[in-house]
Amino acid sequence: MMSCKLAFILSVLFLTGITAVAVDTLHVTAELDTLRKQVVGVMTYRLPDTPEIATFEFQLVPNMYAERNTPYLKSKPQLLNIFESTNEWGGMTIDSALLDGDNSTERVTVEYTKGGFQPQDKNRLNGRTVRLYFTTRIPRLGDRLSYFGEDYLLDGWFPFPALLRDDGSWYNPDYNANAELVGPFMHYDIHIAVPSGMIVAAPVPPESGDKQGETTCYRYHFGPAHDFGLAMSPYYLIDSTRLGNATLLYYYHAEEQPILPEIKTAAESTYVYMNKTVGENAYGRLGFVLTPTAIGGGIEFPGLISLYSPRGGAMLSRMYELVVVHETIHQWFYAMVASDQVREPWLDESVTNFWTDRVFSHLWGEEDGLLDLAGLSLSSRDYLRLTAQTPGGAGRLNRPAESLVSSADFFSVIYSHGALALETFDNLLGDSLSGIFWREYVARNTFRHVTADDFVTLAEEISGSDIHKALLCLLNDAEALDYRVTELTNTRVDSVAEIGFTLSRTGKLDIAIPYWIILYNNDTLRYEWKPEYRAERITITAPSPAREIIIDPEHLVAVDIDLINNSVLAAADNRPGLRLSSGVMFLVESLLSVVGGW
Amino acid sequence: MLDIIRQLPRVREARKLWLMLYLLKALLAFLLVLPFLFTVNADLARSAFAKTLMTGWDISVILELFGNAGELLPAFILMILAGTLVYMTIIQFLNGGVYYVIVSGHTSPINWREFFAECGACFLLHVKITLLMLLVYILLFSSSMFVVSLFGATGQNLMGTAALIMLLGKLLIVFLILLAASVFSDSARATVAAYPDRPFREILKTASTYFKPGFAALTGAYIITYLPFFILWALVEWLALKATGEIGGLVGIFLEFILFQLAAAVRTGQKLWFLFYLGQDFRKTNQGRFLPKQIELNLDAR
Ligand SMILES: [Zn+2]
């Protein structure tokens, strides 16, 4: 602990000279107390010179776990159950505060995750240094902040500044249901003392590690980044791979060795693909840690990914790889291009899930076999379509996290429907513009917090007004999209056929949609429908009558809620229905055999 | 083993009973599926999207159906549950006659008047056994899941095929435990046939006296009768996909339907086969009312 403080003072002197412009440095000196399951430490922050600041606001994220009625735990019944049964809650307290070395503890206010600091003198805070002494309680089996046995996952574990707006006011996010952390981009200068023997996984290698008997003090320098997560365990084994200039590291327990190949394949192919498709990852280093948290899935931090230790049914599918691919993609859309996950979660999760689906088809083809059992296979896209179906319809995509109370609805709308909406947008861009758009989006917004406006403006700049309008509809319109073709008639007029049919749609997507007319002589006529009305009767003459008509034959509109009505046949075909029913009948007979014995 | 194979001719002798039991199952399943067929066909018959369903089980078509018939799905499930309840009740009625035939060993010709008289007389006892077994199954299922979860940590990191084998292994354990319970219920039903006048408690006692020493052998016998069915079932699944995939069209679908029904009928035969084995084994120690008259009158005792 002592040596940490000394190193800290030296580093302040050293760092002030080299800090990059516009990104501030946050200094944290702390010690992990494995006996009390606490982190105690001090955060030091020199407030920026511009804009003019009268107050200071900061975040105490662990208070999301402080008691049973927090807005965050409302959406996490599973987590709440664990905390109630162990009666171990998380939380953070500010023990004392100094402003330029003067005790100002009584000037601190804390409400839930929002901390405020009001100086006694009415002077501006610019250039002044705030020191916050904090204690963080780590809950047993939490999600972002968690311990289990001797394993620790630390995220949001020190107080960090709220986001400073250009006008000098602070944005301190409301951590409601389904919220994820939103932090400003900073340089981190971290000193943490942990029991010697702990293997620590961090987004960067330690610059030093001083062993002082029972404890070892590690020093990390990392940034720009909007979060600094750590994971540790005395039992971690480490594996690593070099990919060009990048290093991927894997921290796992001995019993997790068998699944390492799957993790590595998924992580490495995703990393290479994303580097090539949207731009080089800015950090060039990524750690994967297997942590025993309460929730399945994974959690992304800049430069570090926490994965759950896989078990059970997920192993029969590529579900686990899906998590690995998803979290790896967050190293671009989240870590590099940050967004407000509380107010505009789609910029984070919908974008990431859209790319997840893309990487899956790239790695394993259209039929990527997310689930493949006994001849029945489900692709990752099928999975998106399945989970996008909510009881009340998807509704508007561009909305704050708190507007979706249950995790299931949040998942359905933001992860699944959102990914399909962005796939629709990407399909409309087409191959050439898609590449340009996403590369530019990443290049322009690296180490920035983007907003929906940034995304939409860039789309307009690159693709023109039609796709821009379509994007606005996909993001903001609540009405479900559905294209239909009905009432196919063939009449013979002289020696030609007169083909009549009705095209209709719900939703306000004002974009030309292709449709095909397949004739009995096997010719295909290709047209486009630019809908001016909700429904339109179309009549054409052709050398042969029409056998079938398909609207949107290549599934451009991935959010179309019903694909069965996208085509119409001239002659009814009962065979699919008969076959399905024959199968279901056998299924029912088997059920009766099981329960009745015969 | 030989004893088990010796029962096969009896299954043939009882083919009318076999046919009746199979037809009951098939008819009920057919009635339950009809509304499903009409609803689904209204969507599928005019759509090119459903084409793939003619050759394979394309999940994406089924998913679209789920999505659009989302509100109908609970109705179908409720209907199937109700149908299952009706089936269970009818079976408890028929069990009286069936176990009478099986334990008495009088397979040919079946005296149908006697058969239905037994159905009526033992109905309540068979319902009681069913209700009791329902409770036993629930208890056993949860406790066997617990046993399986005890060695759950082993192999939890397996992936793909290895994980599948591990899962199948766990399922096999649960299956064996439930199977032993089902053999016990067969013993209880056989006891009802032999001693219909005994109180329920006595019936259970006799059944467990019979079941305890022989349950491993009986469960083994069940598996031996089940294996040919299982092989046939796998064959049917494979042939059915060939029928729709290679022959295709309405003919393929019809062939597949016949194959499915064949499997369903053989499943009924399998149970009958096993019960004939259990019946003759049960009679060795529990002759009950099927004691030959001569022995009853002590004629050979001198
Ligand atoms: Zn995510």
Side-chain angles (χ1 to χ4, degrees):
Chain A
M1 196 68 188
M2 266 319 288
S3 68
C4 270
K5 273 185 184 151
L6 187 68
F8 158 67
I9 293 161
L10 289 173
S11 73
V12 173
L13 296 172
F14 172 67
L15 280 168
T16 36
I18 57 152
T19 314
V21 225
V23 178
D24 300 320
T25 301
L26 201 70
H27 306 274
V28 177
T29 305
E31 182 168 3
L32 172 68
D33 180 344
T34 50
L35 211 65
R36 292 199 182 84
K37 314 297 178 199
Q38 285 181 345
V39 178
V40 286
V42 53
M43 180 278 269
T44 310
Y45 178 45
R46 181 186 174 274
L47 285 138
D49 296 324
T50 53
E52 202 165 302
I53 318 166
T55 59
F56 170 55
E57 285 192 34
F58 57 97
Q59 314 187 39
L60 306 90
V61 177
N63 287 343
M64 296 199 299
Y65 317 111
E67 40 112 6
R68 61 176 51 79
N69 294 320
T70 69
Y72 181 75
L73 287 182
K74 244 181 237 165
S75 63
K76 311 267 170 174
Q78 202 186 349
L79 213 53
L80 183 60
N81 270 342
I82 294 175
F83 294 168
E84 283 190 324
S85 68
T86 57
N87 206 22
E88 286 188 45
W89 304 80
M92 182 188 281
T93 43
I94 300 299
D95 306 316
S96 56
L98 302 181
L99 180 63
D100 288 338
D102 297 333
N103 189 347
S104 310
T105 312
E106 73 284 2
R107 310 304 300 169
V108 171
T109 54
V110 171
E111 212 189 313
Y112 185 40
T113 61
K114 295 182 183 180
F117 184 87
Q118 199 99 43
Q120 194 150 27
D121 47 30
K122 293 278 182 263
N123 297 338
R124 300 185 312 151
L125 279 175
N126 298 76
R128 301 175 75 175
T129 300
V130 179
R131 281 168 74 91
L132 297 175
Y133 290 82
F134 64 93
T135 304
T136 298
R137 292 180 305 283
I138 309 164
R140 184 174 174 275
L141 280 178
D143 53 7
R144 307 181 152 267
L145 187 63
S146 171
Y147 82 88
F148 185 72
E150 292 170 75
D151 285 16
Y152 289 81
L153 178 66
L154 305 180
D155 179 39
W157 54 280
F158 50 83
F160 61 87
L163 288 83
L164 185 59
R165 297 194 187 93
D166 290 341
D167 66 357
S169 67
W170 295 92
Y171 166 54
N172 208 343
D174 290 303
Y175 290 118
N176 286 316
N178 302 305
E180 295 191 88
L181 259 64
V182 187
F185 278 99
M186 311 224 104
H187 280 293
Y188 295 89
D189 175 37
I190 308 278
H191 298 243
I192 185 162
V194 300
S196 297
M198 275 286 189
I199 313 283
V200 186
V204 277
E207 284 179 8
S208 62
D210 294 331
K211 193 174 171 208
Q212 302 271 312
E214 298 285 282
T215 57
T216 302
C217 175
Y218 292 102
R219 179 184 161 196
Y220 300 97
H221 191 220
F222 178 56
H226 52 81
D227 196 2
F228 186 93
L230 284 171
M232 60 194 88
S233 165
Y235 306 110
Y236 275 148
L237 303 173
I238 307 174
D239 195 348
S240 69
T241 313
R242 294 272 318 159
L243 293 173
N245 295 323
T247 310
L248 268 54
L249 294 112
Y250 308 90
Y251 298 79
Y252 61 98
H253 306 89
E255 69 271 17
E256 286 152 349
Q257 174 112 47
I259 48 132
L260 211 57
E262 273 84 359
I263 298 179
K264 288 172 82 170
T265 309
E268 284 153 25
S269 357
T270 308
Y271 202 92
V272 169
Y273 179 82
M274 292 303 284
N275 258 351
K276 207 179 65 198
T277 322
V278 303
E280 292 264 325
N281 187 273
Y283 296 111
R285 187 180 190 273
L286 177 56
F288 291 83
V289 286
L290 282 141
T291 42
T293 53
I295 47 149
I299 308 174
E300 69 281 11
F301 316 109
L304 194 70
I305 288 170
S306 153
L307 296 171
Y308 76 112
S309 190
R311 55 193 80 98
M315 303 291 84
L316 296 176
S317 59
R318 291 196 207 276
M319 279 294 180
Y320 196 70
E321 277 110 318
L322 193 76
V323 173
V324 176
V325 170
H326 177 103
E327 304 305 347
T328 306
I329 290 168
H330 270 310
Q331 293 307 313
W332 280 262
F333 304 107
Y334 159 80
M336 281 168 70
V337 180
S339 54
D340 186 339
Q341 302 171 76
V342 173
R343 286 190 188 161
E344 297 174 324
W346 72 269
L347 278 166
D348 184 45
E349 295 301 353
S350 305
V351 171
T352 299
N353 235 19
F354 155 67
W355 278 98
T356 306
D357 187 37
R358 245 182 125 172
V359 168
F360 248 63
S361 357
H362 166 75
L363 292 183
W364 293 294
E366 280 297 314
E367 288 303 315
D368 50 42
L370 175 64
L371 206 93
D372 198 344
L373 268 182
L376 291 177
S377 96
L378 187 81
S379 69
S380 72
R381 200 168 172 291
D382 291 338
Y383 180 63
L384 286 181
R385 286 193 63 83
L386 175 71
T387 47
Q389 291 162 350
T390 47
R396 188 186 159 129
L397 176 60
N398 189 9
R399 67 203 288 177
E402 76 200 37
S403 71
L404 293 151
V405 177
S406 80
S407 296
D409 283 348
F410 185 76
F411 184 81
S412 176
V413 174
I414 303 297
Y415 283 75
S416 303
H417 171 74
L420 293 170
L422 287 171
E423 189 190 324
T424 308
F425 164 66
D426 192 73
N427 286 341
L428 295 177
L429 285 177
D431 283 345
S432 54
L433 285 186
S434 160
I436 296 171
F437 175 83
W438 290 107
R439 284 189 153 272
E440 184 64 23
Y441 177 66
V442 171
R444 220 180 259 195
N445 297 308
T446 297
F447 300 144
R448 278 195 64 218
H449 284 79
V450 287
T451 61
D453 282 344
D454 295 331
F455 190 99
V456 170
T457 310
L458 181 65
E460 186 177 22
E461 218 174 276
I462 286 179
S463 65
S465 75
D466 271 8
I467 296 179
H468 169 245
K469 258 166 68 190
L471 178 63
L472 288 178
C473 167
L474 290 166
L475 292 179
N476 298 322
D477 201 64
E479 192 179 2
L481 290 169
D482 188 22
Y483 286 85
R484 290 176 301 272
V485 48
T486 45
E487 294 159 2
L488 169 59
T489 53
N490 285 306
T491 26
R492 201 152 263 294
V493 179
D494 301 322
S495 62
V496 290
E498 194 180 271
I499 303 165
F501 53 92
T502 306
L503 298 178
S504 54
R505 57 143 185 178
T506 51
K508 298 181 188 70
L509 196 61
D510 278 317
I511 199 106
I513 298 291
Y515 66 92
W516 294 353
I517 302 175
I518 298 163
L519 304 179
Y520 270 101
N521 68 9
N522 283 332
D523 280 350
T524 301
L525 311 176
R526 286 153 207 250
Y527 296 96
E528 270 190 349
W529 185 43
K530 177 90 173 76
E532 283 168 46
Y533 312 101
R534 291 246 146 180
E536 200 173 333
R537 182 78 189 160
I538 294 175
T539 319
I540 352 189
T541 48
S544 157
R547 193 176 61 211
E548 92 189 45
I549 300 181
I550 314 176
I551 186 157
D552 191 15
E554 281 160 332
H555 303 321
L556 285 179
V557 184
V559 275
D560 191 320
I561 53 156
D562 183 355
L563 296 181
I564 290 177
N565 64 16
N566 280 35
S567 54
V568 65
L569 302 176
D573 187 350
N574 297 315
R575 291 173 297 177
L578 280 174
R579 171 150 196 262
L580 186 61
S581 302
S582 150
V584 171
M585 179 176 161
F586 183 48
L587 218 62
V588 173
E589 282 176 298
S590 307
L591 173 79
L592 294 181
S593 286
V594 169
V595 297
W598 294 97
Chain B
M1 182 75 189
L2 217 61
D3 266 356
I4 299 169
I5 291 169
R6 267 197 212 116
Q7 303 308 316
L8 274 173
R10 309 214 111 164
V11 181
R12 199 172 60 96
E13 281 168 23
R15 58 187 174 274
K16 276 195 184 151
L17 186 61
W18 179 1
L19 187 70
M20 180 183 79
L21 288 165
Y22 157 67
L23 281 180
L24 173 70
K25 174 169 78 174
L27 185 74
L28 202 69
F30 179 71
L31 289 178
L32 288 175
V33 160
L34 266 188
F36 177 82
L37 170 67
F38 289 133
T39 323
V40 158
N41 201 42
D43 276 346
L44 296 185
R46 288 272 172 192
S47 175
F49 192 73
K51 271 182 201 161
T52 48
L53 213 52
M54 267 149 58
T55 46
W57 298 110
D58 186 340
I59 285 232
S60 60
V61 181
I62 296 165
L63 286 184
E64 292 301 314
L65 269 176
F66 267 102
N68 304 314
E71 61 281 13
L72 288 175
L73 204 67
F76 281 131
I77 291 172
L78 266 179
M79 210 178 64
I80 286 172
L81 284 182
T84 309
L85 205 67
V86 170
Y87 178 73
M88 291 287 279
T89 315
I90 299 174
I91 285 294
Q92 294 334 306
F93 175 73
L94 291 178
N95 269 344
V98 172
Y99 282 84
Y100 176 78
V101 170
I102 279 160
V103 179
S104 70
H106 306 317
T107 36
S108 125
I110 292 172
N111 179 340
W112 292 102
R113 178 188 281 273
E114 209 172 74
F115 180 92
F116 284 110
E118 287 297 324
C119 287
C122 301
F123 176 62
L124 282 180
L125 280 174
H126 283 289
V127 170
K128 267 190 193 169
I129 293 176
T130 305
L131 293 178
L132 177 78
M133 288 316 292
L134 207 66
L135 210 73
V136 171
Y137 285 134
I138 292 171
L139 286 176
L140 276 181
F141 185 73
S142 39
S143 56
S144 60
M145 287 309 267
F146 175 73
V147 170
V148 161
S149 74
L150 281 186
F151 50 103
T154 47
Q156 71 173 17
N157 301 314
L158 297 173
M159 297 199 78
T161 320
L164 187 64
I165 290 169
M166 188 71 192
L167 184 78
L168 287 180
K170 287 177 179 178
L171 281 179
L172 190 70
I173 291 166
V174 178
F175 172 76
L176 283 177
I177 293 173
L178 294 182
L179 180 61
S182 119
V183 170
F184 172 76
S185 88
D186 287 334
S187 315
R189 293 182 197 285
T191 314
V192 169
Y195 310 100
D197 301 328
R198 288 197 182 168
F200 191 58
R201 200 176 271 274
E202 285 290 306
I203 287 172
L204 292 183
K205 215 183 248 172
T206 313
S208 41
T209 318
Y210 167 70
F211 173 75
K212 259 188 222 152
F215 87 93
L218 284 170
T219 310
Y222 190 95
I223 291 169
I224 290 169
T225 60
Y226 197 79
L227 274 181
F229 160 74
F230 187 78
I231 292 165
L232 183 103
W233 174 79
L235 197 70
V236 159
E237 288 292 319
W238 179 74
L239 275 176
L241 279 178
K242 282 243 171 283
T244 50
E246 281 168 28
I247 302 170
L250 214 49
V251 180
I253 292 166
F254 183 69
L255 272 179
E256 184 186 56
F257 175 75
I258 297 296
L259 283 166
F260 282 163
Q261 291 317 305
L262 188 74
V266 169
R267 171 72 173 86
T268 308
Q270 175 267 331
K271 181 74 197 261
L272 215 50
W273 182 18
F274 166 71
L275 283 186
F276 275 124
Y277 169 77
L278 182 131
Q280 60 83 30
D281 187 61
F282 184 79
R283 215 162 42 234
K284 285 180 194 159
T285 46
N286 294 281
Q287 295 184 320
R289 59 169 157 154
F290 305 116
L291 203 65
K293 278 280 180 300
Q294 296 88 331
I295 300 177
E296 212 169 326
L297 297 173
N298 241 350
L299 288 186
D300 68 333
R302 188 87 51 125

